[in-house]
Amino acid sequence: DQQVKQNSPSLSVQEGRISILNCDYTNSMFDYFLWYKKYPAEGPTFLISISSIKDKNEDGRFTVFLNKSAKHLSLHIVPSQPGDSAVYFCAASRTGNQFYFGTGTSLTVIP
Amino acid sequence: ETGVTQSPTHLIKTRGQQVTLRCSSQSGHNTVSWYQQALGQGPQFIFQYYREEENGRGNFPPRFSGLQFPNYSSELNVNALELDDSALYLCASSLNPNTGELFFGEGSRLTVL
């Protein structure tokens, strides 16, 4: 049972434009959400997080939005850069120790 | 500051064998989590160790077991290997059990023939 879903396996964006990656979850008890970035042959790297008491968190070019009523979160990258090309995973937790990951979205930023 | 290191990076086993994967946590981190990532899937939680005790377990059978040592390094053991155990095994350390920021190693890729 996939509790966290990323329905877009891939996304291509022109350099300088906005990248929007989406994630849906089914468990209303989730209270902490994260985004990870993964390059080939490397482990996932933490990017940004948000707790359920917020609806937005911003860190430089990266902003995560949380819509609890829709059980949806999104990651916005503005402006997109070629170095952002990677696989992005969203993850959610209700206990803090077990994270449920989506299947990932492969982002390609075209120069 | 040393990051999370895992060994071996690649290994091949046959069905029915046993495997041990190792992980050194990032300096100052007392919590280690193990995840299995099958091809085309996201990481799936196996279990977490905090101060040498198991602190949560995902939906994996008992033939998946682990240890954490006093220096917070960890092992993942899998007995009676099955073909479906072929995957990338990721170790992640964190400052404490309930923090969200996991620091992942590069993983150990296991192939079961």
Side-chain angles (χ1 to χ4, degrees), chain B residues 67-86:
Chain B
L67 282 173
Q68 187 180 30
F69 300 99
N71 66 355
Y72 303 133
S73 66
S74 177
E75 285 182 357
L76 164 66
N77 299 290
V78 187
N79 293 322
L81 284 167
E82 301 177 0
L83 298 179
D84 285 348
D85 295 333
S86 296

Side-chain angles (χ1 to χ4, degrees), chain B residues 2 5 7 9 17-18 24 26 31 40 49 57-58 62 74-75 80-81 83-84 90 92 102:
Chain B
T2 309
T5 58
S7 63
T9 53
Q17 285 189 310
Q18 179 266 344
S24 293
Q26 184 159 318
T31 303
Y49 278 84
R57 187 180 182 93
S74 177
E75 285 182 357
L81 284 167
L83 298 179
D84 285 348
L90 293 162
L102 302 174

Side-chain angles (χ1 to χ4, degrees), chain A residues 32 34 36 38 41 43-44 46 89 95-99 101-103, chain B residues 35 37 41-43 45 48 55 97-102 104-106:
Chain A
Y32 194 64
L34 303 94
Y36 279 84
K38 187 179 187 302
F46 171 77
F89 292 97
T95 62
N97 69 342
Q98 178 172 351
F99 282 87
F101 282 79
T103 52
Chain B
Y35 284 79
Q37 186 178 11
Q41 301 297 315
F45 178 72
Q48 182 189 77
N55 183 50
N98 297 314
T99 186
E101 189 172 344
L102 302 174
F104 282 90
E106 294 182 2

Side-chain angles (χ1 to χ4, degrees), chain A residues 31-70:
Chain A
D31 58 7
Y32 194 64
F33 305 87
L34 303 94
W35 284 93
Y36 279 84
K37 179 169 72 173
K38 187 179 187 302
Y39 293 117
E42 293 185 13
T45 303
F46 171 77
L47 197 55
I48 192 169
S49 65
I50 189 167
S51 93
S52 59
I53 62 172
K54 296 184 174 182
D55 54 18
K56 177 183 173 181
N57 189 27
E58 195 170 349
D59 184 3
R61 297 186 297 114
F62 302 91
T63 302
V64 56
F65 295 92
L66 176 62
N67 182 334
K68 289 185 289 294
S69 61

